Amino acid sequence: MQYPVDPDFPRSDEDRELIAPLASLPVRPVFIMGLHRSGTTFLYDSVARAFPLSQLSLYRLFYYRRLLCNARDGQADVDQRKLDACFAALGIRDRKIDSVPVAADEVEEYGFLLRRLGGSFKLSDDTAPLFEEMCRKLLALEPDSEAVLLKNPWDTANARWIAGRYEQARFIYISREPIAVLNSMLNAFLAYLDGPQHYLEMLLDTGNGRKGYRKGYLIWLLMRGLRAVLGERAIALLARPMLARHVAREVVSYRQQLAAMPGNQAVEVDYAQLVQNPGETMTALAEFLDLPLRNVDELGLRAAKPRHSVHPILKAYEASLNRQVDKAMRAAKPA
């Protein structure tokens, strides 16, 4: 990807000689689990403000291979300013699909780091060494933190395997009505077609430009062209059945994974209740996480962004979507 200003991302592992001393640090991740567009970002932000947890910020993602050197040399703020200048030069202020701001200190999903340096969005035997190194690095950068807060919707169906590998891991699931998830997905899909997606391209870039995500980019170009010819409503109607099937499958996977999780490692939060009273929800999570809770009256918890009104093509679609979810649940049950 070509940048209007050079962000000076590390081209090699500059932290290589500083990694060994981290081996004694624990791998203690706290995962936010849920479907894409189900409220995981709001839950993540609330938990991050309530507990002593280190996080994967955009600065730490893009400069991952220089983090320890920067901490040692007192240069972290230099690279943070470079990253913010890069965002500004590209006109990036938020994620476009919602009002979540984009800045060096804002958090992002660890799947992008796994893909960037490990070739896959998902945690597996192949990417586990990178994941464990990341957890230890993040703890080292914030010595007062007791665990690492992470989210990656691509790993929602992978939680049982992760729980078996990391006994200290804790999982906070967030549930939301399927029609709200579908509505958010559809609005996000349409927002992606509005114009260039510099932020997403930055996250996906592995140093080879668009070669690393050529298929997705070509589909995006095709859909933009179709929208220009057919109009937004027609594109939304074309996308609705595909997105609905995806939501139905993901809801089934979510429920199965949660049911199979060890009770001492997983808990579920309701999105509506979280939005209504995030402080109360955080208080309830303190015992489960076994972490000290900051004064909830002084947290400065962000308000959830206003919910999009239901897209016109979904106003009479909830019953149909629920039938698809029920059908997928029945098909998933063993004979």
Side-chain angles (χ1 to χ4, degrees):
M1 181 173 177
Q2 297 296 318
Y3 297 102
V5 296
D6 183 12
D8 188 29
F9 295 146
R11 293 178 173 82
S12 61
D13 189 0
E14 299 175 24
D15 286 343
R16 182 176 57 255
E17 296 181 0
L18 302 177
I19 292 294
L22 306 186
S24 62
L25 293 176
V27 176
R28 191 188 177 191
V30 175
F31 293 94
I32 301 298
M33 306 298 281
L35 279 63
H36 287 279
R37 316 303 305 162
S38 64
T40 56
T41 298
F42 179 56
L43 175 58
Y44 189 114
D45 184 74
S46 300
V47 174
R49 292 167 186 267
F51 300 99
L53 296 162
S54 188
Q55 303 145 50
L56 182 66
S57 67
L58 285 167
Y59 156 67
R60 292 173 177 176
L61 191 160
F62 285 111
Y63 296 88
Y64 178 78
R65 296 188 290 180
R66 191 187 293 153
L67 295 178
L68 300 179
C69 287
N70 275 352
R72 180 195 61 193
D73 301 335
Q75 295 295 302
D77 61 332
V78 175
D79 280 342
Q80 288 174 15
R81 288 195 297 270
K82 290 178 182 177
L83 183 57
D84 281 333
C86 183
F87 288 147
L90 288 168
I92 299 172
R93 295 179 179 83
D94 58 41
R95 300 193 307 185
K96 279 198 171 183
I97 59 174
D98 49 34
S99 59
V100 175
V102 170
D105 60 350
E106 295 293 335
V107 298
E108 193 45 271
E109 296 164 5
Y110 68 84
F112 288 112
L113 179 65
L114 294 186
R115 180 186 181 276
R116 195 178 186 89
L117 300 179
S120 172
F121 283 110
K122 297 180 180 180
L123 182 51
S124 66
D125 286 328
D126 292 335
T127 56
L130 171 60
F131 175 82
E132 292 161 13
E133 178 189 275
M134 176 193 71
C135 289
R136 293 186 173 109
K137 263 195 183 186
L138 295 180
L139 278 182
L141 292 171
E142 295 189 44
D144 293 334
S145 295
E146 298 187 26
V148 177
L149 182 63
L150 300 165
K151 84 180 184 83
N152 182 29
W154 287 284
D155 269 334
T156 298
N158 198 26
R160 188 67 187 88
W161 179 87
I162 298 173
R165 186 177 182 104
Y166 304 109
E167 293 183 0
Q168 293 192 67
R170 295 295 180 268
F171 300 79
I172 307 174
Y173 283 79
I174 184 165
S175 63
R176 194 177 186 185
E177 62 272 27
I179 191 64
V181 174
L182 177 59
N183 187 59
S184 186
M185 282 187 177
L186 180 61
N187 285 319
F189 168 74
L190 295 173
Y192 274 132
L193 301 181
D194 281 343
Q197 298 294 324
H198 297 310
Y199 177 60
L200 181 59
E201 291 202 61
M202 285 184 69
L203 291 173
L204 294 176
D205 185 26
T206 57
N208 297 317
R210 288 172 176 160
K211 291 180 180 178
Y213 51 93
R214 183 184 300 276
K215 182 178 178 181
Y217 181 72
L218 291 175
I219 292 173
W220 177 78
L221 283 177
L222 174 63
M223 297 305 295
R224 270 180 61 84
L226 285 174
R227 191 182 73 163
V229 174
L230 302 175
E232 181 175 296
R233 178 177 172 79
I235 289 298
L237 286 169
L238 285 172
R240 184 177 68 181
M242 293 181 289
L243 292 176
R245 286 193 295 270
H246 174 74
V247 169
R249 290 194 301 268
E250 290 299 298
V251 168
V252 171
S253 178
Y254 170 96
R255 293 176 180 174
Q256 289 178 327
Q257 285 287 322
L258 179 57
M261 291 294 289
N264 66 325
Q265 286 187 271
V267 68
E268 187 175 33
V269 169
D270 177 72
Y271 176 81
Q273 185 176 359
L274 172 66
V275 170
Q276 183 176 1
N277 197 332
E280 183 178 293
T281 302
M282 295 306 104
T283 301
L285 287 174
E287 182 177 356
F288 167 73
L289 294 174
D290 191 24
L291 291 172
L293 176 67
R294 296 170 181 147
N295 189 333
V296 294
D297 295 326
E298 300 175 359
L299 294 181
L301 295 176
R302 286 178 179 169
K305 61 183 183 296
R307 175 176 170 175
H308 284 291
S309 58
V310 177
H311 194 281
I313 70 165
L314 297 179
K315 286 187 175 179
Y317 197 70
E318 184 170 8
S320 175
L321 177 61
N322 288 339
R323 286 194 295 271
Q324 293 181 59
V325 172
D326 291 341
K327 181 179 179 181
M329 286 294 296
R330 290 194 300 270
K333 289 181 179 179

